[in-house]
């Protein structure tokens, strides 16, 4: 039941921005590791998937599901919501101009997960994130995000964990150069 609720909420969040007229929408795929809370989350490797939604020229909403791959294939899934700001300039101009090709993102957000003492899915973590390197922009059609580190404060256990994304790819379905010809 929990997996169905998480998947349904992800589909709704991914579908709404396509019709809302945001700057851009990208499909995200990559890796994730949850470090520091091994007693609550025994996974070592996760598939990160979701959407990067451009809210303005410098702000974006990152909705990311992290599905466990190791040690149990496709077991638990958590969903993170981050509001991020580009620090080095425009991520997208909303037109034919590409924006800054190399950027840094900083953000805050929350995570819904089953990483609680009793294992129920609820709001579990507050997040502060830094992505030191992004290469590409929505107008070019793709972007790579490297070495994202997120501090995750668990509201129940009062522990601080680390979410680490080695590499994530964003493939833009709305807001790329194809939309501005």
């Amino acid at each position: 039941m929990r997996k169905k609720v998480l998947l349904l909420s992800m589909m709704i969040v991914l579908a709404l921005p396509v019709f809302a007229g945001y700057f851009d929408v990208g499909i995200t795929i990559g890796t994730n590791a949850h470090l520091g809370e091994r007693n609550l989350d025994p996974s070592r490797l996760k598939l990160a998937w979701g959407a990067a939604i451009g809210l303005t020229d410098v702000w974006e909403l990152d909705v990311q599901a992290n599905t466990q791959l190791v040690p149990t294939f496709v077991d638990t899934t958590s969903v993170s919501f981050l509001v991020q700001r580009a620090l080095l300039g425009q991520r997208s101009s909303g037109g034919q101009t590409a924006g800054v090709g190399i950027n840094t993102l900083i953000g805050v957000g929350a995570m819904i997960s089953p990483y609680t003492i009793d294992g129920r899915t609820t709001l579990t973590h507050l997040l502060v994130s830094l992505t030191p390197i992004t290469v590409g922009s929505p107008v070019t059609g793709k972007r790579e995000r490297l070495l994202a580190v997120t501090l995750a404060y668990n509201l129940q256990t009062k522990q601080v964990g680390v979410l680490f994304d080695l590499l994530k790819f964003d493939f833009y379905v709305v807001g790329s150069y194809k939309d501005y010809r």
Side-chain angles (χ1 to χ4, degrees), residues 1-167:
M1 179 64 180
R2 291 183 298 190
K3 289 181 185 178
K4 289 180 185 177
V5 170
L6 285 173
L7 289 175
L8 181 61
S9 64
M10 281 294 295
M11 288 190 312
I12 291 170
V13 168
L14 291 175
L16 288 177
V18 175
F19 305 106
Y22 290 111
F23 265 57
D24 48 73
V25 177
I27 303 300
T28 301
I29 191 157
T31 62
N32 180 268
H34 183 179
L35 310 171
E37 291 184 298
R38 190 172 211 140
N39 57 333
L40 298 176
D41 181 11
S43 67
R44 296 296 92 203
L45 176 65
K46 296 181 183 188
L47 171 67
W49 56 280
I53 303 162
L55 303 175
T56 69
D57 60 339
V58 294
W59 288 96
E60 71 179 54
L61 172 65
D62 188 34
V63 180
Q64 177 177 311
N66 300 307
T67 303
Q68 179 179 337
L69 297 178
V70 175
T72 306
F73 187 71
V74 188
D75 187 24
T76 60
T77 299
S78 62
V79 179
S80 301
F81 300 89
L82 283 170
V83 176
Q84 300 190 99
R85 187 182 194 295
L87 296 180
L88 302 179
Q90 287 183 308
R91 46 178 299 290
S92 175
S93 66
Q96 291 181 352
T97 306
V100 177
I102 296 176
N103 219 326
T104 298
L105 300 172
I106 190 165
V108 296
M111 181 167 71
I112 297 170
S113 74
Y115 310 133
T116 60
I117 296 167
D118 58 0
R120 66 186 167 87
T121 300
T122 186
L123 175 65
T124 55
H125 294 78
L126 297 178
L127 309 172
V128 176
S129 178
L130 173 68
T131 306
I133 303 170
T134 68
V135 179
S137 74
V139 173
T140 62
K142 65 180 181 175
R143 175 178 70 174
E144 294 86 24
R145 293 187 267 169
L146 306 167
L147 308 173
V149 176
T150 303
L151 296 178
Y153 177 73
N154 191 314
L155 296 168
Q156 283 193 348
T157 64
K158 311 293 189 244
Q159 293 177 322
V160 175
V162 176
L163 305 175
F164 180 69
D165 299 323
L166 178 63
L167 180 62

